[in-house]
Amino acid sequence: HKGFLKRKAHANIDGKRIPWGKRGWKTFYAVLKGMVLYLQKDDYRMDGHTLEEVVSVHHALAEKALDYTKRPHVFRLQTADWRIFLFEAGSKEQMSSWIARINLV
Ligand code: I3P
């Protein structure tokens, strides 16, 4: 499962609030493989390698972010270590499909 997602980090490990200046939305190319969500930044480093973040979705919970109304098609991902991310998908269908895939893991 793959595609572009915009991400906003909402809470760090143990539910701590992400500090000011690091709360913005960023675009990633997301790939879900097994129990891992790979988030590739859409910019490249000087050496040509892509920057990638890795989020374990083992025992994570994805659900539509009903209380977040600033953007459409946003789902919340809560990880087993209590990080919280918001992800904006390109359409309602893409959002539903990401939620279903993540919760299947
Ligand atoms: C954040 C950025 C986010 C905004 C967030 C800001 O600033 O503007 O877009 O979230 O508001 O703190 P920065 O990039 O300097 O971290 P929204 O898009 O949801 O408004 P927040 O602190 O209320 O989450």
Side-chain angles (χ1 to χ4, degrees):
H1 210 64
K2 43 185 79 169
F4 285 99
L5 286 177
K6 287 179 183 151
R7 186 197 70 181
K8 178 185 175 184
H10 204 74
N12 247 321
I13 288 180
D14 298 328
K16 282 192 188 141
R17 186 187 161 92
I18 300 285
W20 302 109
K22 292 184 178 173
R23 302 180 56 85
W25 289 90
K26 264 190 217 165
T27 300
F28 292 90
Y29 189 72
V31 180
L32 183 64
K33 262 191 230 162
M35 292 187 271
V36 176
L37 182 64
Y38 296 90
L39 297 170
Q40 299 168 359
K41 292 193 181 149
D42 57 356
D43 44 352
Y44 287 79
R45 297 196 307 198
M46 301 278 277
D47 61 10
H49 288 107
T50 48
L51 292 167
E52 188 174 72
E53 286 185 40
V54 172
V55 177
S56 166
V57 297
H58 188 45
H59 290 159
L61 175 70
E63 61 186 0
K64 185 172 171 33
L66 289 171
D67 55 349
Y68 190 83
T69 51
K70 291 180 189 175
R71 290 167 179 245
H73 326 310
V74 174
F75 65 94
R76 173 181 292 98
L77 177 72
Q78 174 143 18
T79 65
D81 55 8
W82 294 91
R83 288 190 285 170
I84 300 171
F85 300 105
L86 297 181
F87 286 101
E88 181 190 356
S91 68
K92 195 181 161 203
E93 290 70 27
Q94 284 172 30
M95 180 194 72
S96 303
S97 141
W98 278 108
I99 291 173
R101 294 300 185 105
I102 289 168
N103 289 335
L104 266 182
V105 169

